[in-house]
Amino acid sequence: MDEMGAPIPLERLQRNLEKVRARIAEAAARVCRPVDNIRLVAVTKTVGVAEILSLLKLGVRDFGESRIQDAERKIRALGLKAGEMHWHLIGHLQTNKADKAARLFGTVHSVDSLRAAQALNKERLKAALPPLLCLFEVNVAGEAQKFGLRPGSSEIGELLKQCAAMPGLRATGLMAMAPYAEHPEATSRPVFRGLRELLSGINAQHLTAEPLTELSMGMTQDYQIAIEEGATLVRVGTGLFEE
Ligand SMILES: *Cc1c(COP(=O)(O)O)cnc(C)c1O
């Protein structure tokens, strides 16, 4: 599991991946959702290039990293292989790193301010790449230590309206994190349900050019709950790498 230690054997990754995929399918079936509507983002922030290449071999195409400098180092080491992958920035974006973020990633899950959106738009246009897919991070549970937009305010609507006029960005959905919990059923489900309701509310107001369709929610502790509540992107790290 340590990036410095021996690489995780392919067999373990395969076993874990099969388990996670089976659980995704079970959760989807419980609520009669088509499983191809749900994408697994492998969060590789705790592992190295060897594990990323193994996951690629096992058919994973979506990879998530929290920190720009780690992503940059890994993507550089992957060389041409990185072009076969879709990279997701899932951690907080500092506006002064927008130039790198706009070049390294295909999707940013953590847009939470007008300043960040403007910086990403500018850099994406400068890089002459297709529009960057953007999800807006919402602090649904109102936790003091978390980043994200406040769900009950006009903040999100305003930001979406402004982003609709930025040709370098394409707003696709919302992202949230539930509080860490030993037993996430009681704590995660209301957060995920809240995010889904927020998305419906935004779509009913027609603030975006196209309706928002993506809900990035759920990690190892609670991705099955997230899928039951409508997640289209689940961000799983530990569950893929643990013994
Ligand atoms: C680390 C991280 C994850 C994955 O967490 P696991 O518990 O390892 O599955 C998901 N989302 C974000 C934003 C993260 O930082």
Side-chain angles (χ1 to χ4, degrees), residues 43 45 66 90 177 219-220 235-238:
V43 177
K45 66 189 181 195
S66 293
I90 61 168
M177 268 190 282
M219 30 208 270
T220 299
R235 311 177 308 265
V236 178
T238 312

Side-chain angles (χ1 to χ4, degrees), residues 21-185:
R21 282 183 174 148
R23 287 179 177 168
I24 289 173
E26 284 162 21
R30 279 198 291 278
V31 291
C32 302
R33 291 187 55 199
V35 75
D36 57 9
N37 195 230
I38 300 152
R39 235 166 345 135
L40 170 66
V41 178
V43 177
T44 47
K45 66 189 181 195
T46 59
V47 297
V49 168
E51 286 81 0
I52 294 172
L53 285 170
S54 293
L55 288 171
L56 180 69
K57 205 178 286 176
L58 294 169
V60 176
R61 289 293 174 274
D62 290 277
F63 293 86
E65 286 282 334
S66 293
R67 295 158 146 274
I68 309 235
Q69 52 272 50
D70 291 344
E72 186 180 30
R73 179 171 50 78
K74 291 175 193 178
I75 290 170
R76 190 171 292 159
L78 286 161
L80 283 177
K81 288 274 184 206
E84 299 173 35
M85 306 169 181
H86 188 97
W87 290 90
H88 299 251
L89 177 63
I90 61 168
H92 182 65
L93 171 70
Q94 290 165 275
T95 307
N96 63 0
K97 300 215 174 82
D99 56 340
K100 286 193 172 152
R103 285 168 174 79
L104 292 168
F105 296 94
T107 302
V108 173
H109 292 230
S110 51
V111 180
D112 68 352
S113 71
L114 180 59
R115 245 163 53 88
Q118 284 168 330
L120 286 172
N121 178 53
K122 186 175 131 218
E123 297 298 336
R124 192 74 173 185
L125 292 174
K126 217 191 273 176
L129 290 166
L132 180 64
L133 307 183
C134 288
L135 285 82
F136 297 83
E137 182 170 357
V138 184
N139 186 356
V140 178
E143 292 173 273
Q145 72 280 17
K146 275 219 174 93
F147 291 107
L149 298 152
R150 288 167 298 145
S153 65
S154 58
E155 206 178 11
I156 299 174
E158 281 305 313
L159 183 53
L160 282 167
K161 262 192 267 177
Q162 308 244 31
C163 287
M166 299 183 193
L169 309 183
R170 186 148 80 82
T172 61
L174 304 177
M175 183 270 238
M177 268 190 282
Y180 171 77
E182 198 81 38
H183 304 288
E185 176 62 38

